[in-house]
Amino acid sequence: MKLFNVRFAFAIAALLGLANPAAAVCVQTGASQADRDLWGLHGCWEDYFLWQYRAYDMRGSDWNNRGWNDACNRNLEYPKHWNAAYLVTYGLLDNNAQSFHGTEDYRATGEARSSRFHDHFIHVPSDRTDIFGSYTNPFLGNSRVATACPLYNPGSANANPGSRAGDFMHEGWHAWLDKYNWNNGSVNGHRPQQGACTINSCDYFYFHGIGAYAFGAMWQTDGTANRFHSPNQVQVEFLCDVADQPKGWVPNSVRLASQNDANTRAGQRFINGPGYRCGDPRPW
Amino acid sequence: MECTWANNSPNKTLQSRCSRTYAISKSIRQGTLCLFACTTLLLGACQTLYEKPQTVGEEPTRQEAAGPSPKELIEERQNSVMPDFFERSHVAQFVDWATAAPVSRREEIRAQMHKAQDSDAIAKGLIEAFQKAEREDHTRALVILALLGELRNPTGTEFLIEYVWRELPTGGPVMVETGVSLERQNMVRLQVKAVNGLAYTRDPKVLREVLEIVAKHPSKAVRTEAASSYLWNQGNSESARKTLSQYVREGESALIDRPVRGVDMSGEQFNRQLELFLKRHPELQPPAPTQREPVEEKPTEADQPPRF
């Protein structure tokens, strides 16, 4: 009888667990300086987030205890997500003479829609604290770009709109690799530690100059190393463009955080690194 | 409880009926439990397999009232007045203003830091603000380090040297992609920023410290930043490159030629720099990308059923 009660209790607990999968959440008591600074420039623009959730295919069932019905509470995950998307949509200068790529490229990489950049995916949250994000393409169901707590918790270096949007680019680029059936390695879609790379998940940097890709053409490849991108490279180029080619109104904190992320990443994550250095090495 | 009450009775028929009844009810209970578990699993699987498409009407909502438009807010920030910055008590408010100030006003902030260069009190105020922010708000800590570096004050510089050499944390839950803890990675990011400030002093003694960082710092990212910062502050001269070459670790010579996309640099200038870098380091050309192998179908003896 006692053993039966235990088994029954487990069954009930399992049922409750499945019924409430989003019980755990990231830190919801604050936002980073950069998040607050960017937020202060759009005042929770409703027209924007009512467009953004569709463009990124975000569902209430995934984000319901993370600000879906509190979309102007900047401490919660969903508002932080669309704060980063706002930077992608409006924050870049698109300077043909100096930018690596344009808004058109970065939006197509991070947004949900099927295009030459990638097949359709949805954006979901994750409570994991051991990853920044992930891209999964299950056999059945939607492909997913998940963003995890280190992109939202204010104490984390990547909990700023530039780095969060940079992760949209990174994961979106895994979707590009998937669409065109490219092999980027067996360590969660990257290569094992080797060469100049000092971390677990490494990429090659497929160096290219300014103007090598017209805006809108970042998806292109000729199948050689001369015209190709890796996920960390797309992320670095995006962060560099935020740091060096932002619209004049972008806050200094967003610029500095993006530059810091880009340069740290360029120094650590590339087998044939280092990647480019973004901006003059001046403190401010 | 299993029929103990019946087993204690002398009535054998009662004992037998109780045992049979118990056995049947036990089966029913186990069957019910199994049904519960299977249904739960099936429902979960169905939820995963069938993803309801996004429907109109399930949109996010807000609880606060709407604020001013982005255009108004940008204009307000563009025209905001820089607060005073000549006493320690001014530090917090100045940081609040500078961090949010638009990129277009960067030069004003640089000029203000230059004016405050001789103030030890302000340097100490920034250090105190950094120590408070370091664990709570990484971006704010980063901004303060940037201001401290731009200040070029000896007290500030002394702190930056100490901070760059602070031992990186070990242990703790590991991030899958980096193989180190988030805490360690957070600190590396701040040390990368701190080294900019050291090189920017352009003080010969401090620059020697930067070269020591190139040679000995445990973090590759910090060594990389130190090398780029050293060269830029020395005008990328040939003599600076030669000096740097004596400090870079074996296998890190590419740091000497690393392309830097300067803010005022034209596309052509950057492209020339890149071309030279790849010419000097042909070993850094990546290999050709490869496609994933298609799934190979391998027939087995069990593929064909026996003839009926």
Side-chain angles (χ1 to χ4, degrees), chain B residues 165 204-220 222-224 226-228 230-231 234 239-256:
Chain B
W165 285 113
K205 193 175 160 197
V206 181
L207 285 172
R208 276 196 294 278
E209 194 67 50
V210 173
L211 290 169
E212 289 295 307
I213 293 167
V214 171
K216 294 178 184 166
H217 199 278
S219 163
K220 177 91 180 276
V222 177
R223 296 197 301 272
T224 303
S228 295
Y230 175 81
L231 281 179
Q234 293 285 83
S239 65
R241 289 161 54 81
K242 193 174 170 189
T243 304
L244 183 64
S245 69
Q246 292 162 13
Y247 286 86
V248 291
R249 293 187 178 189
E250 193 181 333
E252 294 185 359
S253 62
L255 296 184
I256 302 168

Side-chain angles (χ1 to χ4, degrees), chain A residues 58-227:
Chain A
M58 300 169 78
R59 314 319 179 57
S61 54
D62 293 319
W63 298 85
N64 63 358
N65 57 344
R66 301 173 194 267
W68 189 256
N69 293 308
D70 196 5
C72 288
N73 182 344
R74 67 186 185 191
N75 294 340
L76 305 180
E77 294 92 318
Y78 170 58
K80 287 174 182 170
H81 190 287
W82 74 254
N83 200 30
Y86 184 87
L87 180 64
V88 179
T89 312
Y90 301 116
L92 294 170
L93 206 53
D94 288 356
N95 181 349
N96 270 304
Q98 290 182 292
S99 301
F100 285 116
H101 301 285
T103 298
E104 195 180 338
D105 299 288
Y106 298 127
R107 279 189 52 197
T109 303
E111 289 174 19
R113 69 183 189 277
S114 283
S115 68
R116 288 181 291 190
F117 282 75
H118 55 71
D119 292 335
H120 172 262
F121 54 65
I122 65 175
H123 277 257
V124 298
S126 166
D127 286 312
R128 289 180 68 173
T129 53
D130 61 340
I131 59 170
F132 293 110
S134 65
Y135 165 73
T136 49
N137 181 6
F139 180 65
L140 290 171
N142 285 311
S143 297
R144 292 155 177 258
V145 165
T147 41
C149 291
L151 291 176
Y152 295 102
N153 297 345
S156 166
N158 282 35
N160 64 80
S163 296
R164 197 174 303 124
D167 204 74
F168 299 166
M169 303 306 138
H170 182 116
E171 306 308 339
W173 207 253
H174 279 296
W176 177 86
L177 290 164
D178 196 33
K179 179 180 174 77
Y180 294 105
N181 207 31
W182 292 107
N183 178 6
N184 199 56
S186 56
V187 183
N188 300 308
H190 296 280
R191 301 165 196 274
Q193 187 175 350
Q194 58 188 287
C197 174
T198 55
I199 63 161
N200 284 351
S201 309
C202 303
D203 284 341
Y204 283 105
F205 206 114
Y206 299 92
F207 297 99
H208 68 78
I210 305 293
Y213 289 80
F215 290 166
M218 191 168 74
W219 64 275
Q220 290 177 359
T221 177
D222 61 3
T224 75
N226 296 326
R227 198 168 181 79

